[in-house]
C-alpha cells in the first residue's frame, strides 16, 4: 500500500474456498401427482447424483416447479438419499389448496459431509384434503440443480 492506495496484492492471500467445483442438473416435463399423505418420490428424472470432492464441500440445491393442488393441501421437499432435508411434516414448501396453482422455489445449502456419491431428489405429499398434490403440468418443467461449493 502506498498512502492508502493498493498497488498489488498476493493472490495466495485471497484464494481459497467458495469455488464452484461441479454442477449437476435434473429436469422433468411430465405431470406428477400423489394422494399419499407420506412423502413419495415426485420424479425419478428430477434428481441429481453428485460425488463431493471433499467432505467439507457444501452443495447448493435449487429447485423450481409449478405446483398444483386439486382439493388438497400439499408439501414438497428435497431428500438426500433417505434423509428429508426439510421439515419432517411440511418439507420446504407447504401449499394450501386455496392457492391452487403457484410457483415453488426451494434454495437450500446442504453439508453432506462425505466423499461418497449422494442423490438429491424431490419428494411430494398430500397434507390434507380429498384430492392430490401435483408438480408440473403439460409443458411445465420441474428442475433441480446441485452445485458443489469447495470449502
Amino acid at each position: 500500500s502506498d498512502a492508502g492506495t493498493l498497488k498489488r496484492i498476493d493472490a495466495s492471500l485471497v484464494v481459497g474456498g467458495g469455488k464452484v467445483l461441479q454442477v449437476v442438473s435434473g429436469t422433468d416435463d411430465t405431470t406428477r401427482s400423489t394422494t399419499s399423505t407420506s412423502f413419495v418420490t415426485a420424479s425419478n428424472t428430477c434428481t441429481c447424483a453428485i460425488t463431493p470432492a471433499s467432505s467439507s464441500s457444501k452443495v447448493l440445491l435449487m429447485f423450481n416447479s409449478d405446483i398444483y393442488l386439486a382439493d388438497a393441501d400439499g408439501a414438497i421437499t428435497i431428500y438426500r438419499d433417505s434423509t428429508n432435508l426439510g421439515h419432517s411434516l411440511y418439507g420446504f414448501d407447504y401449499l394450501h389448496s386455496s392457492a391452487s396453482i403457484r410457483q415453488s422455489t426451494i434454495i437450500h445449502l446442504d453439508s453432506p459431509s462425505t466423499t461418497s456419491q449422494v442423490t438429491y431428489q424431490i419428494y411430494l405429499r398430500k397434507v390434507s384434503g380429498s384430492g392430490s398434490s401435483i408438480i408440473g403440468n403439460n409443458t411445465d418443467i420441474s428442475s433441480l440443480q446441485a452445485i458443489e461449493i469447495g470449502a
Side-chain angles (χ1 to χ4, degrees):
S1 172
D2 182 14
T5 303
L6 186 63
K7 298 288 187 181
R8 70 185 173 127
I9 190 164
D10 183 348
S12 68
L13 299 174
V14 294
V15 295
K19 293 182 175 131
V20 172
L21 301 179
Q22 61 178 312
V23 178
V24 179
S25 182
T27 60
D28 190 356
D29 62 359
T30 303
T31 301
R32 310 287 182 175
S33 67
T34 187
T35 56
S36 174
T37 55
S38 298
F39 278 114
V40 296
T41 303
S43 167
N44 58 2
T45 59
C46 196
T47 182
C48 295
I50 192 167
T51 304
S54 167
S55 61
S56 59
S57 289
K58 306 286 186 199
V59 178
L60 178 63
L61 300 165
M62 297 184 294
F63 168 75
N64 191 47
S65 181
D66 286 338
I67 306 295
Y68 299 85
L69 299 171
D71 297 320
D73 290 354
I76 193 162
T77 196
I78 300 173
Y79 272 69
R80 178 191 349 104
D81 296 327
S82 61
T83 301
N84 182 352
L85 299 177
H87 184 277
S88 60
L89 182 59
Y90 297 114
F92 282 104
D93 199 0
Y94 173 79
L95 302 102
H96 191 274
S97 61
S98 64
S100 59
I101 302 172
R102 77 168 175 82
Q103 193 74 24
S104 178
T105 300
I106 299 169
I107 298 174
H108 177 72
L109 185 63
D110 187 38
S111 300
S113 301
T114 186
T115 56
S116 297
Q117 178 178 294
V118 293
T119 300
Y120 294 99
Q121 195 166 18
I122 300 302
Y123 278 63
L124 182 68
R125 75 181 282 257
K126 177 178 78 170
V127 175
S128 63
S130 60
S132 57
S133 296
I134 305 162
I135 65 169
N137 189 29
N138 300 325
T139 59
D140 294 345
I141 296 175
S142 301
S143 66
L144 176 65
Q145 288 80 37
I147 302 167
E148 181 184 1
I149 310 295

